[in-house]
């Protein structure tokens, strides 16, 4: 596939030059190692958790990556991520084996389970799969848990490049409440940083571009030394690797710390396709407004759209709620990580994910902020990069239809504006004094005001 050509085609078919800026810039942050250049715009991609849980295999990963390259990469989705327990030979569902027997190397570092990822045999790890993903024009990401494998501690394996062993650096009192795989690493021990350096060196050698690191953001202060250790270890590799911390709720008062050490961090627990969860994300995204910007992206979690849950069902969000989800993630500039099974990607979901003008809001807007006007409504505005234009997102979070609007004076606009409906892709005329629309329950609208 000619990735550059496909992106040129996308830009040529777009409505505004901002779309060209958004798509051409999406994902270029790995060209340099500084914090802001690692992720200058909200990362976009696909993750296996919502649709495969712990079970994805190499064959499935290759199939999904090929579809992603064809269907989503032209719109800017370029990070393909294998989520949790790729090292667990017997992983089977959304639950975790109580006594896991993970695949590890001689230094207590997780490696892909060879029965699920056969190209990893012979010490090759994820390098062959990463190359296949890169050859499709994508970046390769993996999920990892905080800490050191309990199995490595039980075997007391050596820490690479040191005289220490796993039992020396393990903090047996620091355990994940929902996953039995790991002990925390004591960063008071001199071997602690060496262990983190060793695992990220391994990931860099495999060709990993993105690491989603779990059991990190809560309790934040208890895990802060390991957050710092992961950041330092990535820097030591010399490879530009985006670090995404999970799960939330990351405390807003630690915003300055988290944005210095990671490019993405979760603002909630796992987000699924239930309206109360979506409604709660409004407040969280509002609260994180001061910390949003290049290299610093509060993450409202994956997009549970399309086929989910090991193929057992499709998303429970109504069409209006699906559009509200995408509108909120766009105007609040949350990372856009699709979670549904791309093998069952339907036309409506594809259109929702790849609307050029909506993606430009996510990728190329500034001064994104909420407005508080009326109960059962949510309103956000932003400015379009390289333009005097405004974006306006209107939401009805109530149970009945209602008019939602904002006076133009609240945007600093005097006179009338030309209004373009970004979801419909068409101009809807001029409005003066106030932009308003009647929305269905849980519905939304997204406009560009010129």
């Amino acid at each position: 596939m000619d990735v550059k050509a496909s992106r040129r085609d996308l830009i040529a078919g777009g409505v505004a030059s901002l779309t060209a800026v958004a798509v051409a810039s999406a994902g270029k942050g790995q060209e340099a190692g500084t914090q802001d250049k690692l992720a200058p715009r909200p990362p976009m991609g696909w993750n296996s958790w919502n649709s495969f849980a712990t079970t994805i295999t190499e064959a499935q990963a290759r199939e999904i990556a090929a579809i992603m390259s064809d269907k989503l990469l032209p719109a800017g989705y370029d990070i393909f991520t294998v989520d949790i327990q790729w090292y667990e030979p017997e992983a089977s569902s959304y639950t975790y084996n109580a006594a896991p027997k993970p695949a590890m190397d001689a230094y207590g570092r997780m490696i892909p389970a060879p029965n699920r990822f056969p190209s990893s045999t012979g010490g090759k790890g994820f390098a062959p799969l990463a190359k296949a993903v890169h050859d499709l024009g994508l970046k390769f990401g993996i999920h990892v848990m905080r800490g050191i494998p309990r199995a490595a501690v039980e075997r007391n394996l050596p820490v690479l490049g040191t005289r220490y062993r796993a039992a020396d650096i393990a903090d047996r009192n620091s355990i994940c409440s929902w996953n039995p795989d790991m002990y925390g690493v004591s960063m008071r021990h001199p071997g602690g940083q060496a262990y983190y350096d060793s695992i990220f060196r391994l990931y860099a050698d495999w060709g990993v571009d993105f690491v989603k690191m779990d059991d990190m953001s809560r309790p934040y202060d208890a895990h802060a030394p390991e957050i710092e250790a992961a950041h330092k270890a990535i820097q030591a590799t010399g490879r530009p690797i985006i670090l995404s911390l999970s799960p939330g709720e990351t405390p807003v008062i630690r915003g300055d710390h988290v944005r210095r050490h990671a490019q993405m961090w979760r603002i909630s627990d796992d987000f699924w396709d239930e309206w109360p969860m979506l409604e709660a994300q409004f407040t969280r995204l509002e609260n994180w407004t001061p910390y949003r910007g290049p290299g610093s992206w509060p993450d409202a979690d994956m997009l549970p759209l399309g086929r989910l849950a090991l193929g057992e069902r499709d998303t429970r969000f109504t069409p209006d709620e699906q559009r509200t989800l995408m509108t909120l993630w766009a105007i609040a500039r949350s990372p856009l990580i699709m979670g549904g099974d791309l093998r069952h990607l339907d036309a409506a979901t594809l259109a929702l994910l790849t609307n050029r003008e909506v993606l430009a809001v996510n990728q190329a807007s500034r001064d994104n902020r909420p407005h508080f006007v009326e109960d059962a409504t949510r309103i956000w505005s932003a400015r379009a990069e390289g333009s005097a234009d405004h974006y306006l997102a209107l939401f009805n979070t109530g149970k009945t239809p209602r008019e939602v609007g904002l006076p133009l004076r609240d945007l600093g606009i005097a006179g009338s504006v030309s209004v373009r409906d970004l979801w419909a892709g068409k101009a809807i005329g001029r409005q003066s004094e106030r932009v308003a629309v009647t929305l269905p329950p849980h519905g939304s609208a997204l406009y560009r005001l010129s």
Side-chain angles (χ1 to χ4, degrees), residues 169-213:
I169 68 168
D171 182 350
R172 296 172 188 255
N173 294 315
S174 178
I175 59 175
C176 178
S177 62
W178 46 266
N179 177 277
D181 296 345
M182 316 292 273
Y183 290 125
V185 171
S186 172
M187 298 313 302
R188 295 184 299 275
H189 192 284
Q193 186 64 54
Y195 180 76
Y196 274 117
D197 289 348
S198 76
I199 63 172
F200 279 96
R201 179 71 265 166
L202 181 65
Y203 306 154
D205 290 344
W206 286 344
V208 170
D209 307 298
F210 178 95
V211 172
K212 174 185 173 182
M213 199 163 187

Side-chain angles (χ1 to χ4, degrees), residues 6 23 58 73 136 142 163 176-177 229 231 249 293 300 306 349 352 378-379 381 386 406 414 426 450:
S6 68
V23 174
E58 179 169 354
L73 178 59
L136 290 167
I142 59 172
R163 57 187 175 85
C176 178
S177 62
H231 172 69
E249 187 168 331
T349 303
L352 194 72
R378 301 285 183 148
I379 299 173
S381 69
L406 187 73
K426 65 179 183 181
S450 302

Side-chain angles (χ1 to χ4, degrees), residues 331 361 365-369 371 380-384 389-393 411:
I331 195 70
V361 180
S365 61
R366 60 183 174 86
D367 301 333
N368 308 69
R369 64 189 181 104
H371 300 263
W380 279 70
S381 69
R383 301 296 298 273
D389 291 359
H390 294 255
Y391 291 121
L392 181 64
L411 301 177

Side-chain angles (χ1 to χ4, degrees), residues 411-434:
L411 301 177
I413 298 174
S416 64
V417 292
S418 176
V419 181
R420 182 174 179 83
D421 184 331
L422 300 189
W423 281 113
K426 65 179 183 181
I428 57 174
R430 298 193 68 82
Q431 295 190 25
S432 59
E433 295 188 3
R434 183 170 182 261

Side-chain angles (χ1 to χ4, degrees), residues 224-259:
E226 290 178 90
I227 293 171
E228 295 170 7
H231 172 69
K232 183 177 179 180
I234 289 173
Q235 290 184 313
T237 70
R239 182 176 180 83
I241 298 173
I242 293 174
L243 180 61
S244 170
L245 302 183
S246 184
E249 187 168 331
T250 305
V252 177
I253 59 173
R254 293 295 179 261
D256 282 331
H257 183 272
V258 72
R259 69 176 172 180

